[in-house]
Amino acid sequence: MKRRIDGGRLLDLTDGSLTAVSVLMDDETGLVLAIGTDLPSADEHIQLDGEVLLPGFVDLHVHLREPGFEAKETIATGARAAAAGGFTQIACMPNTRPPIDTPEAVRWVRGRAEEAGHCRVWPIACITSGQRGEDLTDFAALKAAGAIALSDDGRGVQHGGRMLRAMEEAARVGLPVAIHAEDETLSGNGVFDHGAALRLCVPEQPGEAESAMIARDLLLAERTGAHLHVCHVSTESAVALIRWAKARGVRVTAEVTPHHLLLSDEAIDRADPLYKVNPPLRGERDRLACLAGFLDGTLDVVATDHAPHTVEEKRRPLLEAPFGLVGIEIVFPLLYTHLVRTGRMSLSELVKRMSTRPAQAFGLPGGVLRPGGPADLTAVNLDEEREIDPEAFYSKGRNTPFRGWRAAGFSVLTVCGGRVVHRIERREAR
Ligand code: DOR
Ligand code: ZN
């Protein structure tokens, strides 16, 4: 079926201009047929009201929790939440129960995602069997089954020799290695960064636990030629190390989360698990270094590390509550409001870091909106501000410290492969 979207304004990613256009697309091929004015009519017409048309966002770091933790999230609820956030592609982490460490498991995730619809879901498979940090999984077989990257996210691979072998094999097979950098001999049972840990008398998780492992893995990437993707960078020293490695020509990409860009540990005023995330919110100096690294491109992409947990889990005492925050439904409005509206970054640069660059980094389709390309898009309302209300999330997770923040830029329409996967009519705008 052919659909035509009218009344939107297309953002030109090269010069930032907005042009009133229609978009014609076809859900059989999943492609954009034409963009312009005076387009032929279609089977269905969707009328916008001046919202801005963007390529669908791409999140390289999401936790969908299925199989095993369906009370936190399912592939269907997580993918639906992604569509509401303007995402048309998400890469999901393998720290499920059981972990995604076999070709069968990778195929199972793809099948569930296919049934759910909503958006494209790309599985990331484990580096080590059961994420135990010991035996490597079968990278070639995982890739053949559809894994797009490898990660033991949630835990760092502690043993340097095994990581060296993993990177050699990943380079041979041609898969990125996405690292959760955390030296557990340094992080121990720490929960908050130095400042908040001291202030609130809780165990510290020092930045060196992250930066030291990033240094190790950058050197291993240089040695092996593997594509290293550094997840959720949060320290000043890590940004400097990645900048250094890029200057040397190491094949490295890096992500930053909205919470590490917008919050420091100064925001934590009590031992509240809603601020408990791994890596932790760091000091203001680290936050500013991450922001500078994001602005200058050292940190390539935004990724949410959307990590849903149940309300009950997040109400536990600080040391028992799990690490993690949700973010996929609010990341674009938060960054649009706090980086673009404040003049730190242009709208087109933010969109590149949320669509184009992540798609390129993992070799995914889309990331730009053009005739002949995938009909993956979202339309955002940049004018209307709303208060963030976790109770209205499509995600099962409510665990965000951004409750009550005001933001503009919520998505009113998301289309994936020419099909409407999210639509909010103006009169019922939430
Ligand atoms: O905060 C986090 N939550 N960090 C991780 O590395 C894992 C994630 C989770 O799975 O909940
Ligand atoms: Zn994660």
Side-chain angles (χ1 to χ4, degrees):
M1 160 153 124
K2 291 191 174 60
R3 289 191 176 81
R4 197 181 76 197
I5 303 172
D6 298 322
R9 290 179 295 155
L10 181 71
L11 176 71
D12 185 326
L13 292 183
T14 55
D15 66 8
S17 62
L18 294 173
T19 315
V21 292
S22 296
V23 179
L24 184 67
M25 58 214 185
D26 177 7
D27 67 10
E28 265 150 50
T29 60
L31 300 177
V32 175
L33 299 173
I35 300 179
T37 48
D38 298 322
L39 299 184
S41 63
D43 305 305
E44 190 177 295
H45 293 141
I46 300 165
Q47 185 64 41
L48 294 176
D49 192 13
E51 285 88 355
V52 174
L53 292 165
L54 306 173
F57 304 134
V58 181
D59 194 341
L60 298 181
H61 191 146
V62 172
H63 295 270
L64 295 179
R65 305 302 192 202
E66 204 183 339
F69 301 106
E70 291 82 0
K72 297 175 194 272
E73 192 82 289
T74 65
I75 291 172
T77 58
R80 180 65 186 88
F87 288 84
T88 51
Q89 309 194 66
I90 57 179
C92 61
M93 284 296 179
N95 61 338
T96 50
R97 189 176 59 202
I100 309 303
D101 61 1
T102 63
E104 295 71 37
V106 170
R107 281 192 286 267
W108 184 85
V109 169
R110 290 176 59 207
R112 292 292 278 182
E114 195 78 33
E115 277 166 35
H118 305 314
C119 70
R120 303 174 204 267
V121 175
W122 303 102
I124 298 175
C126 297
I127 301 171
T128 65
S129 180
Q131 294 195 307
R132 280 184 294 272
E134 292 164 10
D135 305 323
L136 300 190
T137 54
D138 184 342
F139 294 179
L142 292 166
K143 183 180 181 182
I148 57 148
L150 299 160
S151 184
D152 275 2
D153 183 56
R155 288 196 66 185
V157 175
Q158 301 301 307
H159 191 293
R162 273 184 213 121
M163 195 51 158
L164 172 60
R165 283 211 295 116
M167 284 210 227
E168 282 168 350
E169 179 64 2
R172 197 179 67 75
V173 165
L175 280 177
V177 181
I179 56 160
H180 173 113
E182 180 184 344
D183 179 329
E184 290 170 8
T185 64
L186 291 168
S187 61
N189 65 343
V191 280
F192 289 156
D193 194 60
H194 187 72
L198 209 61
R199 200 155 36 79
L200 299 167
C201 299
V202 302
E204 176 186 347
Q205 183 173 147
E208 291 78 9
E210 173 180 345
S211 310
M213 191 176 277
I214 290 175
R216 180 197 77 180
D217 289 352
L218 288 167
L219 296 172
L220 298 181
E222 177 164 45
R223 183 186 176 97
T224 58
H227 173 187
L228 180 70
H229 179 76
V230 185
C231 293
H232 39 52
V233 173
S234 73
T235 66
E236 181 186 28
S237 48
V239 175
L241 287 161
I242 293 164
R243 195 177 281 125
W244 170 82
K246 285 189 165 184
R248 286 169 71 86
V250 176
R251 217 173 142 209
V252 55
T253 49
E255 58 184 47
V256 66
T257 69
H259 44 279
H260 290 113
L261 286 174
L262 299 181
L263 292 173
S264 72
D265 72 346
E266 290 171 20
I268 309 174
D269 55 2
R270 60 197 168 87
D272 182 351
L274 265 191
Y275 291 93
K276 182 175 174 182
V277 62
N278 193 5
L281 301 176
R282 304 288 186 189
E284 185 62 8
R285 190 182 159 128
D286 287 309
R287 182 185 79 86
L288 292 173
C290 289
L291 180 56
F294 180 54
L295 295 176
D296 75 16
T298 303
L299 308 183
D300 302 80
V301 304
V302 175
T304 60
D305 195 7
H306 176 81
H309 294 291
T310 66
V311 171
E312 182 276 317
E313 288 167 317
K314 277 296 203 181
R315 277 203 190 122
R316 291 178 191 166
L318 183 69
L319 298 191
E320 289 152 40
F323 289 96
L325 313 176
V326 293
I328 204 154
E329 291 174 71
I330 53 177
V331 52
F332 179 79
L334 280 171
L335 296 182
Y336 169 70
T337 305
H338 293 278
L339 298 185
V340 177
R341 275 195 169 178
T342 54
R344 308 302 297 264
M345 182 172 222
S346 69
L347 174 61
S348 49
E349 193 58 31
L350 176 60
V351 172
K352 283 183 203 158
R353 306 306 192 81
M354 290 188 60
S355 300
T356 321
R357 294 270 288 266
Q360 279 167 350
F362 279 11
L364 306 179
V368 289
L369 190 53
R370 57 172 179 82
D376 284 17
L377 62 85
T378 190
V380 294
N381 180 345
L382 299 182
D383 303 317
E384 194 186 313
E385 263 194 26
R386 243 167 53 195
E387 203 168 275
I388 290 174
D389 174 14
E391 307 311 321
F393 285 169
Y394 290 91
S395 168
K396 290 190 182 185
R398 304 282 177 263
N399 45 310
T400 171
F402 294 109
R403 178 191 292 266
W405 284 42
R406 293 192 66 78
F410 287 91
S411 176
V412 299
L413 169 73
T414 305
V415 172
C416 182
R419 289 184 308 108
V420 176
V421 290
H422 175 70
R423 176 83 174 116
I424 297 218
E425 300 289 345
R426 183 147 275 232
R427 62 192 135 69
E428 59 176 72
R430 307 194 308 157

